[in-house]
Amino acid sequence: MKISARNQIAGTVKSIKKGPVSTEVVINIGGGHEMVSSITTHSAESLKLKEGSKVYAVVKASEVMVAVD
C-alpha cells in the first residue's frame, strides 16, 4: 500500500458500532491509547472490518479543532 498521508498508525479494531449510514470504529493503538474513526457503513463492510482486525489509522488533516463551553 502506498499513500501520501504521513500519519499512519498501526492498530487493532477494538469495537465496531454499525449504524444505517455511518459506523464508529475504535482502534487500539497500543500503550493504553485508542483512536476513533467514523466511516460509512458501506466502507466498513467493504473492508470486512471485525474486532481484532489489523488496521491502520491514516490521518491527513489541515486542522484539528477543540472546543469547550
Side-chain angles (χ1 to χ4, degrees):
M1 172 182 73
K2 290 188 179 199
I3 190 165
S4 64
R6 296 290 171 234
N7 300 311
Q8 303 172 33
I9 303 163
T12 305
V13 175
K14 179 180 177 182
S15 64
I16 300 171
K17 287 185 190 173
K18 276 191 179 180
V21 176
S22 64
T23 293
E24 179 185 272
V25 182
V26 179
I27 303 167
N28 178 347
I29 59 170
H33 301 287
E34 299 174 346
M35 293 186 78
V36 180
S37 177
S38 179
I39 62 176
T40 65
T41 297
H42 177 75
S43 292
E45 291 169 351
S46 293
L47 292 169
K48 299 179 182 170
L49 294 179
K50 60 184 178 192
E51 289 183 12
S53 293
K54 300 291 184 190
V55 296
Y56 290 92
V58 179
V59 181
K60 185 166 183 146
S62 58
E63 61 186 85
V64 176
M65 299 169 69
V66 177
V68 295
D69 257 345

